[in-house]
Amino acid sequence: MKVIEVRNLHKRYPGHVAVDDVSFEVAEGEIFGILGPNGAGKTTTVECVAGLRVPDGGTVQVAGLDPRHERKALHRVLGVQLQSAALPEKIKVWEALDLYASFYPDPADWRELMERVGLAEKRDTAFAKLSGGQRQRLSVALALVGRPRVAVLDELTTGLDPQARRDTWELVEQVRDSGVTIVLVTHFMEEAERLCDRIALIDRGRVVAVDTPAGLVARVDAEQRVRFRPSAPVDDALLLALPQVREVSRSGDHVTVSGTGDLAASVTLALAGHHIVPADLRIEQATLDDAFLALTGRKLS
Amino acid sequence: MKKILLVEAKLHLRDVGTVVFSVVLPVALLLVIGSIPQMSEPDPAFGGERLIDTQLPSMMTLLALLTLAFTVLPAVLATYREQGVLRRMSTTPMHPGRMLAAQLVINLVLGVGAVVLLVVAGRLVLGTALPRLPVGFVLVFLLGAAALLAMGLLIAALAPSGKAAPLIGTSVMFPLMFVAGMWVPREVMPDALRVVSDYSVAGPFAQALRATWAGQWPEPANLVVMGAGLVVCSVLAVRFFRWE
Ligand SMILES: Nc1ncnc2c1ncn2[C@@H]1O[C@H](COP(=O)(O)OP(=O)(O)O)[C@@H](O)[C@H]1O
Ligand SMILES: [Mg+2]
């Protein structure tokens, strides 16, 4: 069942078009990614979904509600984590949770939520004194305190160190497992690949493709590369005879084979046939970055 | 709504500067200036009245309210807007207008606190009279406070940033204090300045406070100017207020 439906969304700012034509649907219970480079129009898109901006064209529905005219009902089913800091500097963690809980008719138990996002020890710490990761976790907790059906998380891990990022990813997965549908806005390929069930690739205000991460990667007939150090000399001809192989190059002891299809399997099989062991074997496969490049002709980051 | 009030009140009290400048300073000034001997001598330029009778406490009441309305209120609201606090709130079922209301209430309460302290401290330490027309005093106080807070709200609406807001507020506040008679009492002002004073909202507020303190009903013209200031500034503030 779909919880969000965006049709031909269009939004202009004075002088330029931020969102040209964006359509997608989000199904109940999934983590839906909106992936694209900075300035692609991701934030503008989700702000229209959250009722913070009025679209210049197209329609948006969230759980059957129109964000323009049914704001109050919308805000009960949709929790939002905005891209920038949004609390008074001196407010304490528990006060923020308690306050936001009071905004909703049937809020979650904020103490439990505080535990869940790992901020119980920071209960009495002022917002300004929290680290980037702690702020983001508080922000996620605030987005969830009204027991929303859908949570929009915008650039959740931007600016976090790798450990904090992984912790935050785990939190997002837990939230999804608790039954909340998640719209995750990001410009990190790795984040989208790891978390999302489906992804809308957005570039210059347009949706380039909507698919699962694997589906997007499979669309690119991108070249793969296999690199290894053979245990005995290998003849180029042996490898070039394989239909998957396009090119063989060498540097020092290492051999790099480029090609398509199930390249790695066929190369290792051929080597095994000649009793050669590929040491230091490394396989470079296509990623969402490659998919983005192939679909738009531009790099994601 | 109760919770916003509670949390915002705590945040104000956590900011020691707010309380010191808006509440403690006027009371301290009243006591320090009031203990200068000349202040307690009947002044012929004042029709024989002593400066500590109505002029000084009224001016300190005005100082407390001007500080709240022109620095505290605009600084908090413009900073909240700049940091996205109001925007964040507008993604919840609670309208950020409630935050505005909470700020107005808290500043009014701080103002009431300041005036109660001024009246009590003046009575106990300096032996000045309590306002002789208490009902009139309370009504004048509420009308004047509302008018000044509306002016502060307008500054918050127009200020480009959280830092700019109190700067703009202060640069409006000092001229207002001057024309209201903080340094040159209205009685000894040149005619032209007195005309400006009479239309400055702060001037009529000071006069009306002094009148009720002395036991007289204020000049209707003073009330009209305050009422007009309240209405005009409220309408403009609502018209120009931006949530983000
Ligand atoms: N409030 C605004 N006024 C004018 N232009 C804006 C505003 N917000 C964003 N933009 C512009 O709109 C485009 C899309 O921005 P945004 O939706 O924030 O992209 P993303 O989130 O994908 O980085 C950018 O070119 C950005 O500069
Ligand atoms: Mg963005």
Side-chain angles (χ1 to χ4, degrees):
Chain A
M1 210 191 85
K2 62 180 182 240
V3 266
I4 297 180
E5 186 185 55
V6 176
R7 289 251 157 280
N8 305 110
L9 182 69
H10 183 83
K11 175 75 189 171
R12 279 183 300 269
Y13 293 119
H16 84 137
V17 175
V19 175
D20 187 11
D21 183 3
V22 165
S23 303
F24 59 83
E25 285 178 7
V26 178
E28 183 111 53
E30 69 177 339
I31 300 184
F32 186 83
I34 297 184
L35 176 67
N38 277 325
K42 307 181 296 293
T43 296
T44 306
T45 300
V46 292
E47 284 178 348
C48 290
V49 171
L52 284 168
R53 292 195 189 282
V54 179
D56 295 314
T59 58
V60 176
Q61 285 218 323
V62 180
L65 301 164
D66 177 349
R68 252 180 290 183
H69 303 115
E70 293 156 297
R71 288 185 64 139
K72 209 156 182 168
L74 173 80
H75 294 148
R76 283 184 196 161
V77 295
L78 184 83
V80 182
Q81 186 270 143
L82 295 171
Q83 204 175 338
S84 52
L87 286 172
E89 289 181 359
K90 291 192 177 164
I91 199 167
K92 292 177 182 172
V93 167
W94 79 267
E95 289 168 341
L97 286 163
D98 186 27
L99 178 65
Y100 270 69
S102 77
F103 295 168
Y104 295 90
D106 178 28
D109 177 352
W110 61 260
R111 289 172 190 84
E112 201 182 280
L113 203 53
M114 188 169 66
E115 294 274 348
R116 217 169 98 201
V117 301
L119 285 175
E121 292 148 53
K122 296 284 163 189
R123 195 195 140 92
D124 291 320
T125 305
F127 179 67
K129 299 240 165 81
L130 296 176
S131 72
Q134 289 162 349
R135 283 183 191 201
Q136 293 299 51
R137 278 182 277 148
L138 178 57
S139 194
V140 173
L142 293 181
L144 298 176
V145 77
R147 293 181 193 275
R149 276 176 66 191
V150 189
V152 173
L153 308 174
D154 192 355
E155 300 282 359
L156 191 60
T157 64
T158 302
L160 299 190
D161 61 63
Q163 184 57 46
R165 183 170 295 158
R166 270 188 292 274
D167 291 347
T168 313
W169 287 348
E170 234 162 72
L171 177 62
V172 172
E173 280 170 336
Q174 282 172 28
V175 171
R176 190 263 310 273
D177 294 342
S178 73
V180 180
T181 306
I182 292 174
V183 177
L184 185 82
V185 176
T186 182
H187 67 274
F188 278 125
M189 180 277 301
E190 203 190 336
E191 180 164 293
E193 200 155 35
R194 149 95 197 255
L195 287 176
C196 298
D197 299 307
R198 290 189 313 130
I199 296 172
L201 280 184
I202 295 199
D203 184 42
R204 299 189 226 192
R206 288 176 161 271
V207 175
V208 181
V210 182
D211 207 335
T212 59
L216 286 170
V217 172
R219 289 190 190 194
V220 240
D221 197 16
E223 215 172 53
Q224 304 178 42
R225 262 198 298 243
V226 177
R227 209 172 114 88
F228 58 91
R229 187 163 48 77
S231 61
V234 199
D235 200 348
D236 281 7
L238 165 72
L239 297 167
L240 285 168
L242 299 168
Q244 292 88 349
V245 175
R246 192 183 57 75
E247 194 189 343
V248 178
S249 64
R250 291 164 188 272
S251 73
D253 290 347
H254 285 84
V255 179
T256 303
V257 184
S258 324
T260 49
D262 51 353
L263 182 70
S266 56
V267 167
T268 44
L269 201 64
L271 291 172
H274 287 77
H275 306 290
I276 300 169
V277 179
D280 296 346
L281 181 67
R282 239 184 253 165
I283 304 164
E284 287 172 27
Q285 273 180 324
T287 61
L288 281 176
D289 275 327
D290 300 316
F292 191 83
L293 182 66
L295 289 164
T296 66
R298 304 194 312 131
K299 285 205 160 151
L300 187 54
S301 45
Chain B
M1 181 70 202
K2 246 197 272 165
K3 211 140 236 169
I4 303 183
L5 267 175
L6 200 72
V7 172
E8 287 300 318
K10 280 200 259 181
L11 294 181
H12 272 83
L13 294 179
R14 239 165 246 170
D15 197 352
V16 180
T18 301
V19 181
V20 168
F21 275 103
S22 58
V23 180
V24 180
L25 187 67
V27 177
L29 282 176
L30 174 79
L31 298 181
V32 171
I33 301 174
S35 57
I36 300 172
Q38 288 102 308
M39 289 285 150
S40 320
E41 281 165 16
D43 190 334
F46 256 31
E49 194 188 281
R50 300 179 307 167
L51 281 165
I52 57 164
D53 285 333
T54 65
Q55 163 73 8
L56 188 58
S58 297
M59 282 303 154
M60 291 305 113
T61 304
L62 184 66
L63 174 65
L65 286 171
L66 283 172
T67 309
L68 291 168
F70 284 72
T71 63
V72 178
L73 177 72
V76 170
L77 285 180
T79 303
Y80 280 7
R81 174 174 53 225
E82 185 171 307
Q83 294 174 339
V85 174
L86 300 177
R87 191 158 196 264
R88 177 67 186 82
M89 243 183 106
S90 65
T91 68
T92 74
M94 184 67 76
H95 192 273
R98 297 296 180 91
M99 175 62 90
L100 243 63
Q103 295 299 332
L104 292 172
V105 169
I106 286 166
N107 281 290
L108 187 63
V109 169
L110 283 171
V112 169
V115 78
V116 167
L117 278 179
L118 282 167
V119 169
V120 171
R123 177 91 197 98
L124 295 181
V125 182
L126 301 175
T128 52
L130 300 179
R132 293 205 170 86
L133 190 64
V135 177
F137 182 79
V138 169
L139 294 179
V140 164
F141 174 84
L142 291 176
L143 178 60
L148 293 183
L149 287 171
M151 290 165 87
L153 204 56
L154 180 57
I155 290 173
L158 300 175
S161 73
K163 282 218 164 59
L167 292 180
I168 298 172
T170 321
S171 58
V172 178
M173 176 173 130
F174 279 102
L176 275 182
M177 289 197 323
F178 179 77
V179 300
M182 186 77 67
W183 295 284
V184 185
R186 183 175 179 279
E187 282 86 342
V188 295
M189 277 181 191
D191 286 346
L193 188 56
R194 198 175 298 161
V195 173
V196 175
S197 175
D198 288 349
Y199 287 100
S200 67
V201 181
F205 186 24
Q207 284 183 55
L209 283 174
R210 287 181 61 188
T212 53
W213 218 305
Q216 294 147 11
W217 281 100
E219 297 280 340
N222 288 340
L223 300 181
V224 170
V225 171
M226 285 194 272
L230 171 61
V231 172
V232 170
C233 291
S234 304
V235 169
L236 290 177
V238 168
R239 166 79 181 72
F240 289 112
F241 201 87
R242 295 157 291 137
W243 301 108
E244 50 190 77

